[in-house]
């Protein structure tokens, strides 16, 4: 069903936004540190029209689900909360949003760590900006999107996903200082492209493990007398910490330094080495990998045409990301998955998408 079939008239406008993958800078955001995401080819498109009654109506093609907002004082649940949140944060900022018909379609896999949620928010806000001529810039779109996700979808997220979706594209990576929001858009390393393969292992322990790591980092920062681990650049300083805090802090400090090295300008080969080093650090110091991800990353790293690979996202399962030679990602993925799945796993390629079209 398209917009016309759902709402009985064509849309007034539409806008799109991409999902994202983080290339380097993992578990650094809640330490006030640095991240380096890029946009993926898959995206979300939001079409808007004016509602003919006094209610908002939201439809998701992916879920084949329609939600009408009967009471604007009551936040809806599920996918509608993200769209409702975008509308509400704009209203709170002083913009008047009329009752709308909203149609969503997406090629970003949902819940796979490629940030379909940020793509949905940023596409919604872009479409609203266009429809109503709102004087908001791309940075503000990212900030409104984050507020919508925290306040209305109830997810305590950082701002990386929304910044990446709003400011990066598939040709560029976004360097972001999560403390100051200083940022720089840089080209992808030369003659390289991105490959994302899901391990097929669900992130079951992810939330408890994540909270524990956050607490450990806070404790480490407190012991060292700094506001956040971002304030340490010399690994020698953390030797004063007891284990496991020392290892946790070492990951954060070395990971931040890896991102800062990329900012100086590096070759694809060096970028790959930094990704490999990030994986070792996440596995041994931060202890957020699992055997499946280690196996997958090792197979990728040994494959011809690969610059480097590591787990991406919070870990405990989920996906891997690799930097590979341009034009070779699909061939590499086929080779990798053959070996990986032979070991009894159920891996699958997420980026590039194997579908006919990437744009939603
Ligand atoms: P991720 O952002 O990693 O994909 P999240 O759990 O943060 O995972 O966000 C996924 C949620 O975002 C979905 O459960 C759904 O509520 C919402 N969402 C994202 N894209 C769509 C879409 N195309 N249609 C409906 N809901 C969507
Ligand atoms: Mg998300």
């Amino acid at each position: 069903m398209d917009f016309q079939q759902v709402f009985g008239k064509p849309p007034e406008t539409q806008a799109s936004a991409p999902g994202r993958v983080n290339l380097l800078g993992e578990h650094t955001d809640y330490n006030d540190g640095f991240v380096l995401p890029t946009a993926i080819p898959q995206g979300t498109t939001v079409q808007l029209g004016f509602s003919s009654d006094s209610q908002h109506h939201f439809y998701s093609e992916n879920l084949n689900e329609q939600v009408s907002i009967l009471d604007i004082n009551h936040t809806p649940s599920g996918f509608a909360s993200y769209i409702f949140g975008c509308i509400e944060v704009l209203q709170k900022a002083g913009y008047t949003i009329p009752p709308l018909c909203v149609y969503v379609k997406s090629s970003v896999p949902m819940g796979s760590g490629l940030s379909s949620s940020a793509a949905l928010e940023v596409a919604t806000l872009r479409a609203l900006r266009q429809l109503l001529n709102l004087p908001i810039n791309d940075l503000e779109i990212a900030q409104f999107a984050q507020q919508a996700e925290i306040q209305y979808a109830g997810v305590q997220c950082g701002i990386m996903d929304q910044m990446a979706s709003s400011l990066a594209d598939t040709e560029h990576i976004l360097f972001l200082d999560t403390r100051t929001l200083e940022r720089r858009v840089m080209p992808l390393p030369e003659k390289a492209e991105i490959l994302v393969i899901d391990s097929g292992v669900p992130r079951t322990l992810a939330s408890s493990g994540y909270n524990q790591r956050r607490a450990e980092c806070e404790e480490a920062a407190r012991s060292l007398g700094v506001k956040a681990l971002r304030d340490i650049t010399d690994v020698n300083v953390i030797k004063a910490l007891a284990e496991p805090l020392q290892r946790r802090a070492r990951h954060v400090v070395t990971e931040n330094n890896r991102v800062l090295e990329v900012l100086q300008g590096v070759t694809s080969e060096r970028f790959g080495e930094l990704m490999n080093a990030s994986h070792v650090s996440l596995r041994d110091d931060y202890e957020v990998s699992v055997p499946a991800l280690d196996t997958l990353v090792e197979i990728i790293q040994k494959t011809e045409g690969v610059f480097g690979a590591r787990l991406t996202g919070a870990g405990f399962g989920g996906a891997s990301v690799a930097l590979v030679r341009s034009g070779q990602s699909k061939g590499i993925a086929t080779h990798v998955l053959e070996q990986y799945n032979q070991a009894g796993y159920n891996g699958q390629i997420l980026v590039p998408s194997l579908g006919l079209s990437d744009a939603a």
Side-chain angles (χ1 to χ4, degrees):
M1 289 223 287
D2 62 14
F3 190 103
Q4 170 95 40
Q5 287 162 327
V6 176
F7 298 117
K9 57 183 178 184
E12 301 282 338
T13 193
Q14 69 171 45
S16 300
R20 67 93 190 95
V21 64
N22 192 22
L23 298 182
L24 209 56
E26 211 65 78
H27 287 280
T28 51
D29 58 345
Y30 52 85
N31 290 296
D32 280 2
F34 312 114
V35 294
L36 212 51
T38 187
I40 60 169
Q42 294 103 315
T44 298
T45 296
V46 169
Q47 299 179 316
L48 297 180
F50 295 106
S51 171
S52 42
D53 57 28
S54 59
Q55 294 164 8
H56 295 301
H57 304 279
F58 307 149
Y59 178 84
S60 163
E61 182 194 63
N62 303 85
L63 302 176
N64 186 22
E65 192 181 324
Q66 186 169 345
V67 173
S68 295
I69 307 298
L70 306 174
D71 173 7
I72 54 155
N73 296 312
H74 181 76
T75 302
S77 61
F79 87 98
S81 64
Y82 296 85
I83 303 169
F84 182 75
C86 291
I87 292 172
E88 286 299 298
V89 293
L90 288 177
Q91 302 252 39
K92 289 209 172 124
Y95 301 110
T96 305
I97 313 293
L100 296 170
C101 295
V102 182
Y103 182 97
V104 180
K105 58 181 170 175
S106 181
S107 56
V108 185
M110 273 185 253
S112 291
L114 296 177
S115 210
S116 67
S117 58
L120 173 57
E121 293 144 13
V122 172
T124 300
L125 288 161
R126 282 179 175 168
L128 286 164
R129 173 171 69 183
Q130 217 158 280
L131 181 73
L132 305 168
N133 275 316
L134 304 178
I136 54 177
N137 62 32
D138 292 342
L139 172 63
E140 290 165 319
I141 286 208
Q143 290 169 323
F144 282 131
Q146 182 201 20
Q147 285 168 29
E149 182 148 347
I150 293 175
Q151 294 169 19
Y152 293 88
V155 181
Q156 284 304 320
C157 56
I159 199 167
M160 168 170 73
D161 297 353
Q162 292 80 7
M163 290 286 265
S165 183
S166 184
L167 298 172
D169 59 41
T170 52
E171 306 298 312
H172 292 88
I173 50 183
L174 173 74
F175 164 82
L176 178 67
D177 178 336
T178 61
R179 173 179 279 172
T180 63
L181 296 193
E182 182 197 332
R183 61 204 170 273
R184 198 188 301 174
V185 176
M186 301 184 292
L188 260 186
E190 265 189 349
K191 300 191 184 80
E193 63 187 31
I194 304 302
L195 170 66
V196 182
I197 297 180
D198 187 67
S199 68
V201 174
R203 301 176 48 231
T204 29
L205 289 171
S207 66
S208 61
Y210 177 87
N211 290 337
Q212 193 191 12
R213 292 299 175 277
R214 267 189 97 130
E216 287 168 343
C217 287
E218 280 163 25
E219 197 185 331
R222 239 189 337 268
S223 305
L224 294 169
V226 290
K227 183 160 172 277
L229 286 178
R230 131 70 177 279
D231 295 305
I232 313 272
T233 50
D234 179 359
V235 276
N236 289 312
V237 173
I238 59 182
K239 292 198 173 129
L241 292 169
E243 294 292 8
L245 296 191
Q246 192 179 139
R247 275 178 288 150
R248 306 294 187 250
R250 187 165 56 219
H251 166 70
V252 175
V253 172
T254 59
E255 186 78 353
N256 277 327
N257 288 341
R258 281 185 281 275
V259 176
L260 291 175
E261 186 180 332
V262 171
L263 199 56
Q264 303 307 310
V266 295
T267 60
S268 300
E269 284 78 12
R270 181 62 187 153
F271 198 111
E273 284 170 13
L274 293 168
M275 292 174 85
N276 293 345
S278 171
H279 186 78
V280 170
S281 180
L282 288 161
R283 182 190 67 198
D284 299 342
D285 280 345
Y286 220 60
E287 295 180 280
V288 293
S289 192
V290 289
L293 276 170
D294 292 338
T295 303
L296 177 59
V297 165
E298 201 176 303
I299 294 172
I300 299 171
Q301 287 171 346
K302 283 187 182 149
T303 303
E304 184 70 36
V306 172
F307 293 115
R310 62 179 201 87
L311 71 84
T312 186
F316 303 99
S320 65
V321 63
L323 189 73
V324 308
R325 278 191 200 288
S326 294
Q328 297 195 13
S329 55
K330 286 187 184 174
I332 289 170
T334 307
H335 173 81
V336 165
L337 284 172
E338 221 172 80
Q339 288 183 58
Y340 178 68
N341 289 344
Q342 248 170 34
Y345 296 112
N346 188 23
Q348 60 165 327
I349 181 168
L350 296 179
V351 176
S353 81
L354 297 179
L356 291 176
S357 74
D358 282 330

